[in-house]
Amino acid sequence: MLSSEIFNEILMTAGIGIDMGGTRIKIGLVREGKIMASTLIQASAHVNLDERLNEIGNAVDELLTTQKYDPKGIGLAFPGIVDPNGRKILSKYVKYPDAQRVDLMAWAEKRWGVPLVLENDARAALVGEWQYGAGQGCDNLVLITLGTGVGTAALIQGKLLHGKHYFAGSLGGHMSINLHGEICNCGHLGCVESEASTWALERIVKHSSDYHASALAKEAEINFNVVFKHAREKDQLAMTIQQHALKAWSLAIINLILAYDPDRVVIGGGIMKSKDLVIPYVKEMISRDTWINDHTVDLVAAEQVEYAGILGMCYLVDVLKEPLAIL
Ligand SMILES: [Zn+2]
């Protein structure tokens, strides 16, 4: 074999980030903080994770083959409570019913012979924003994502916050903000999610006494963009719901600031398409209604809207052998 042929067979390595969402799984190849290629597959979260891993593995292989990279390691972001040391999924997630029993490390080792790093999806997104997005240069950082659910994560003095049972900082969507609120899907009362998230919105709208008099009754699909649009057109119910949601998100962010004392809060999620509505409202509420000084905390929109989780996981693959050894 000619030396040039040998040289050609030495492939460059890339981290593989897998971000498991509720409806879609994003997969990306990352090298030096850049997405080299990515793909999407359906989550099909009603089936067992063990069955999904084969299709995820095939999608990863296709990316590696077409892009000509060798895998350096797998970084998997999971929407639930995980033990990043033991690489175990801990939460009894209603989706992927077998998730707690799946040996992810053995899967990565057997399929590619590489290590696997596991984190909660909001923590992965926080790391992505910290290293490559709106959190750069800031070692005391809180992330909140406003979307189908409300995800949160905290980084304190450059260390990801995990806690004794690995849920510290990550269940901010289930902080209670309304003593008189509805029971949330977690069983708790008046959570941020049950007061103001996309999954709860349709119930909130349709259970309102003035629903039938509202323009929202004529909408086929209810989401926050639709509510904000009708609020701009002075629909009474849309204005009430917009106000309630802005207040709920502000209370959530204030609670996170009081708990974790960050320099900066990065706000992400689909609802931040309306960041010009959300950020000024939260800022005003913080300066008007709390002891937190206006200049103490920056509030900024997320910058890595699509790939924060994948970039964050590949950063963890790059720097960590044991996830908690450094962070
Ligand atoms: Zn809850």
Side-chain angles (χ1 to χ4, degrees), residues 171 173-176 182-194 199:
L171 291 178
H174 298 280
M175 293 184 297
S176 181
E182 300 274 339
I183 300 292
C184 180
N185 63 6
C186 73
H188 197 32
L189 177 72
C191 293
V192 179
E193 281 203 6
S194 53
W199 71 254

Side-chain angles (χ1 to χ4, degrees), residues 190-208:
C191 293
V192 179
E193 281 203 6
S194 53
E195 293 292 319
S197 70
T198 303
W199 71 254
L201 183 62
E202 194 168 320
R203 171 187 55 75
I204 294 166
V205 168
K206 291 188 176 171
H207 285 194
S208 301

Side-chain angles (χ1 to χ4, degrees), residues 79-299:
I81 299 162
V82 306
D83 164 6
N85 279 333
R87 277 79 157 177
K88 289 257 185 309
I89 292 163
L90 300 179
S91 58
K92 290 179 198 154
Y93 197 58
V94 285
K95 295 164 181 173
Y96 307 114
D98 66 333
Q100 287 177 303
R101 300 189 301 274
V102 173
D103 188 342
L104 292 163
M105 266 204 298
W107 170 66
E109 175 60 38
K110 193 173 160 197
R111 187 144 187 165
W112 298 284
V114 296
L116 176 133
V117 179
L118 178 67
E119 250 308 350
N120 162 267
D121 59 347
R123 287 201 196 106
L126 180 145
V127 173
E129 291 290 343
W130 175 42
Q131 288 299 315
Y132 310 112
Q136 286 180 81
C138 178
D139 282 345
N140 292 280
L141 195 62
V142 161
L143 173 125
I144 181 167
T145 57
L146 307 173
T148 307
V150 174
T152 64
L155 180 89
I156 296 180
Q157 295 174 337
K159 293 180 193 298
L160 272 180
L161 188 67
H162 287 97
K164 171 78 177 169
H165 307 98
Y166 304 105
F167 64 75
S170 69
L171 291 178
H174 298 280
M175 293 184 297
S176 181
I177 52 167
N178 185 359
L179 270 177
H180 307 288
E182 300 274 339
I183 300 292
C184 180
N185 63 6
C186 73
H188 197 32
L189 177 72
C191 293
V192 179
E193 281 203 6
S194 53
E195 293 292 319
S197 70
T198 303
W199 71 254
L201 183 62
E202 194 168 320
R203 171 187 55 75
I204 294 166
V205 168
K206 291 188 176 171
H207 285 194
S208 301
S209 57
D210 42 357
Y211 171 61
H212 293 289
S214 164
L216 292 173
K218 297 187 187 73
E219 291 286 352
E221 193 194 334
I222 301 287
N223 58 46
F224 278 104
N225 286 329
V226 169
V227 169
F228 297 158
K229 179 179 85 101
H230 286 292
R232 282 195 299 275
E233 291 160 4
K234 307 291 178 205
D235 180 85
Q236 198 54 48
L237 177 61
M239 287 166 71
T240 305
I241 289 172
Q242 173 180 299
Q243 190 68 10
H244 184 83
L246 288 169
K247 210 179 246 187
W249 298 326
S250 301
L251 290 176
I253 290 166
I254 289 166
N255 286 349
L256 292 168
I257 295 170
L258 293 173
Y260 304 123
D261 186 17
D263 292 327
R264 195 176 299 163
V265 178
V266 176
I267 313 171
I271 288 160
M272 289 304 281
K273 285 181 189 135
S274 302
K275 64 183 174 190
D276 294 340
L277 178 68
V278 176
I279 289 184
Y281 189 96
V282 182
K283 276 188 176 165
E284 197 196 326
M285 197 156 155
I286 289 172
S287 70
R288 193 187 58 218
D289 298 346
T290 73
W291 283 343
I292 304 159
N293 187 302
D294 280 13
H295 306 295
T296 309
V297 188
D298 267 349
L299 296 188

